[in-house]
Amino acid sequence: MKCLSRKAAIAALCSIALFSCSQEKMDATVDEKLVETHAGVQKAGNYAVHLGLSSATGTSTWTYTIKKENKAKDIGYFVLNLGGCGENSPTISNIIAAKVNGVDWMGKTTASNGNTQCQIESDNFVKFENLPGSEVYTIEFTLDSIYAQVPSSGWIKAGTTCSPMEIQGPGCRGYQLTTSLNADSSLAGKPYNELNSYARISGFDYTEHPHCSGGYGGHRDGIHFATEKDDFLNKYVFRFNIHIDPVIDGDRCSSGTVDRQRNELKSATNNTEWAKVQGNWDEWQILEWKFKLPAGFQPTSSFCHIHQLKAQDGPNNGSPVITITPRANSNGSNKRMQIIHSVDGAQTGKGTIVDNIPLADFENEWVSVREEMHYAHNGYYSCKIVRQRDGKVLIDFRDTNIDMWRTGSSYIRSKFGIYRSLGAGRLNQNPVGQNPLLKNESMWLSDLRVYEKNPNPNPGTTH
């Protein structure tokens, strides 16, 4: 199986530094097959670290090969953070075998920091101690289940120096990483249709936007979706723009939705090739993503969604199942973040399930989002949002009995961007009369990843 050759394809599918392109096809029998990955190299001081991962018959083996450079000192300890997926993470008790340079090391692994002098930010880690002198260290351990690769951290202790690094590690138990999407420097200045082609390689689609003609709210020469360098993340990110000036953007030039604006990226409207990106009946899914809103972002008392989980089809797909929604009072005060749950055609909608989270905590700040869903009528939904600058938890919500499905649907898709009401305004009247609080706004997006567990073997079937 070969990786895609184009730079954009590689960047899209391998945007997580150590994500392997060999995982193109994930299915219910993946834990019965041998899956080999050969990942990129990370640096920790004068040490180069390479991860290899294999899985077979319900176990996964993680191999970290560490090479010394520039006459570096021998390593005393290697520490790996295991807490990359919250309560679904493995612990040291899930390690069933461990070796260093081919020698059994189970008796020399510990979850105690001891005197490593490393500032370990997790209380869930494994330390391989008393390592031998060597030019190359092969540190290998086997876990009792399949665990998704997630961004993690590690530390190498040599002499009195402890070198930290960012590296992939085991995360969500039973989950497989099915796709990832990040912006790439090669996309800077490219038009929206090229960004759409790039996103489609990873199973996402940018077709719901104001780049249209005819109808209402078309703005073909506007910049609505772009990439730019972000200094805080030190990488290229996506930027969504929605306009009131010089053109009042609409919703795909539609004559049926003249009361709103839409500029969104969504999971591909394709539940065959890209079923692994969608939420299908009885599946478990994790969405991880980062976003930033600008200082002064101004919502109104009407809807202004920046994220949706929405049924693609069926008779009850009108309203989203879940939205993350900035909201304000009618005079623009009390700016806050909400999470809203609704179910068309049923009485199981719970309405606003998170409210009154100050929007000021989000303005001009990168935050990471981790949502976990079980797509069933007696389903599960959790959302944890953490501010990146200082690690402050802004939202930590969980509901273990929530309706996460729409009767008659075949799948739930995810959407990211800005979708907002004109607030009593209409594009088919002159003047439009939109809410005077509305102004040009932006949203930035990065590090989008999808994980899946218990994949539906017949994802196209309605339920």
Side-chain angles (χ1 to χ4, degrees):
M1 190 175 293
K2 296 181 179 179
C3 296
L4 296 169
S5 58
R6 293 193 298 114
K7 180 181 179 182
I10 294 173
L13 290 178
C14 301
S15 60
I16 300 177
L18 299 173
F19 173 61
S20 166
C21 290
S22 66
Q23 294 182 338
E24 285 182 46
K25 293 185 178 180
M26 306 276 184
D27 57 34
T29 61
V30 69
D31 62 344
E32 298 174 1
K33 302 174 182 178
L34 180 64
V35 179
E36 295 280 355
T37 73
H38 299 286
V41 175
Q42 297 292 297
K43 291 295 187 70
N46 289 320
Y47 305 89
V49 185
H50 176 278
L51 167 63
L53 170 63
S54 63
S55 58
T57 58
T59 64
S60 53
T61 298
W62 302 70
T63 303
Y64 294 86
T65 302
I66 306 173
K67 295 183 179 180
K68 299 193 303 187
E69 297 179 343
N70 303 320
K71 298 181 180 180
K73 294 181 179 180
D74 287 338
I75 299 173
Y77 306 98
F78 171 69
V79 182
L80 179 67
N81 179 15
L82 298 176
C85 195
E87 63 186 26
N88 289 327
S89 302
T91 67
I92 192 173
S93 65
N94 298 113
I95 297 176
I96 58 177
K99 295 180 181 179
V100 173
N101 291 353
V103 177
D104 180 16
W105 222 256
M106 280 293 284
K108 299 178 183 179
T109 60
T110 179
S112 172
N113 192 6
N115 62 351
T116 62
Q117 298 177 334
C118 296
Q119 300 299 314
I120 301 173
E121 72 248 11
S122 172
D123 57 4
N124 179 12
F125 61 88
V126 58
K127 180 178 72 173
F128 290 78
E129 54 187 5
N130 301 326
L131 299 181
S134 182
E135 292 299 311
V136 178
Y137 297 84
T138 301
I139 298 174
E140 174 186 302
F141 62 92
T142 299
L143 292 167
D144 60 357
S145 180
I146 303 295
Y147 291 87
Q149 295 183 53
V150 298
S152 188
S153 50
W155 298 263
I156 291 175
K157 170 72 176 348
T160 59
T161 301
C162 186
S163 301
M165 62 182 163
E166 295 181 355
I167 194 167
Q168 293 285 287
C172 307
R173 183 182 180 92
Y175 280 94
Q176 293 281 358
L177 176 66
T178 57
T179 195
S180 62
L181 178 64
N182 254 327
D184 184 76
S185 60
S186 65
L187 300 172
K190 298 294 185 182
Y192 76 93
N193 57 321
E194 292 191 33
L195 271 66
N196 182 39
S197 297
Y198 174 87
R200 286 174 67 87
I201 295 167
S202 296
F204 291 90
D205 177 87
Y206 179 66
T207 55
E208 297 190 346
H209 51 66
H211 291 286
C212 53
S213 58
Y216 300 93
H219 189 189
R220 291 188 64 84
D221 59 348
I223 298 176
H224 301 97
F225 190 41
T227 61
E228 60 183 45
K229 183 69 177 295
D230 182 81
D231 291 337
F232 179 83
L233 295 182
N234 193 30
K235 64 198 299 183
Y236 278 80
V237 301
F238 294 110
R239 176 172 177 160
F240 298 88
N241 299 316
I242 201 81
H243 300 105
I244 292 296
D245 179 59
V247 173
I248 302 177
D249 291 333
D251 177 11
R252 300 162 293 178
C253 291
S254 169
S255 61
T257 52
V258 294
D259 60 342
R260 64 197 64 187
Q261 302 178 296
R262 186 193 304 269
N263 187 27
E264 293 182 302
L265 177 78
K266 64 179 180 179
S267 56
T269 309
N270 176 329
N271 205 31
T272 53
E273 177 186 2
W274 289 109
K276 64 186 180 182
V277 180
Q278 315 296 357
N280 296 288
W281 172 253
D282 202 31
E283 288 180 349
W284 286 77
Q285 185 183 72
I286 290 174
L287 295 179
E288 291 184 340
W289 46 292
K290 293 185 177 75
F291 76 90
K292 182 177 79 168
L293 299 178
F297 188 96
Q298 181 61 63
T300 69
S301 58
S302 300
F303 70 84
C304 177
H305 307 321
I306 60 174
H307 170 59
Q308 301 183 58
L309 298 176
K310 190 174 190 297
Q312 167 63 22
D313 52 9
N316 301 301
N317 70 336
S319 298
V321 178
I322 292 288
T323 67
I324 297 180
T325 302
R327 185 84 67 176
N329 293 346
S330 59
N331 63 358
S333 64
N334 190 24
K335 296 196 297 183
R336 60 200 187 274
M337 191 70 78
Q338 299 177 328
I339 300 179
I340 302 168
H341 172 259
S342 64
V343 178
D344 284 355
Q347 301 300 316
T348 51
K350 297 190 175 185
T352 303
I353 53 179
V354 173
D355 199 1
N356 295 317
I357 308 300
L359 198 63
D361 286 345
F362 293 81
E363 292 181 39
N364 204 32
E365 298 277 4
W366 278 102
V367 300
S368 63
V369 184
R370 182 178 179 275
E371 297 174 282
E372 185 171 13
M373 289 75 66
H374 180 206
Y375 290 109
H377 288 302
N378 296 315
Y380 176 96
Y381 177 76
S382 68
C383 180
K384 186 173 185 178
I385 301 182
V386 179
R387 193 164 63 195
Q388 296 296 281
R389 174 175 54 86
D390 56 4
K392 181 179 179 181
V393 177
L394 304 180
I395 293 175
D396 193 358
F397 173 83
R398 177 188 305 178
D399 192 326
T400 61
N401 186 14
I402 184 170
D403 193 340
M404 292 297 293
W405 194 252
R406 291 295 169 82
T407 301
S409 298
S410 62
Y411 66 98
I412 307 290
R413 67 182 190 263
S414 55
K415 307 180 76 173
F416 309 85
I418 301 176
Y419 175 49
R420 68 181 182 180
S421 168
L422 287 173
R426 295 180 66 89
L427 288 165
N428 62 349
Q429 64 185 23
N430 188 13
V432 171
Q434 78 277 2
N435 190 308
L437 293 172
L438 292 178
K439 57 186 177 65
N440 292 354
E441 297 289 8
S442 298
M443 170 184 163
W444 291 264
L445 177 72
S446 187
D447 297 292
L448 177 54
R449 292 183 290 269
V450 182
Y451 303 89
E452 188 176 89
K453 181 173 69 174
N454 189 37
N456 189 323
N458 299 297
T461 304
T462 59
H463 182 86

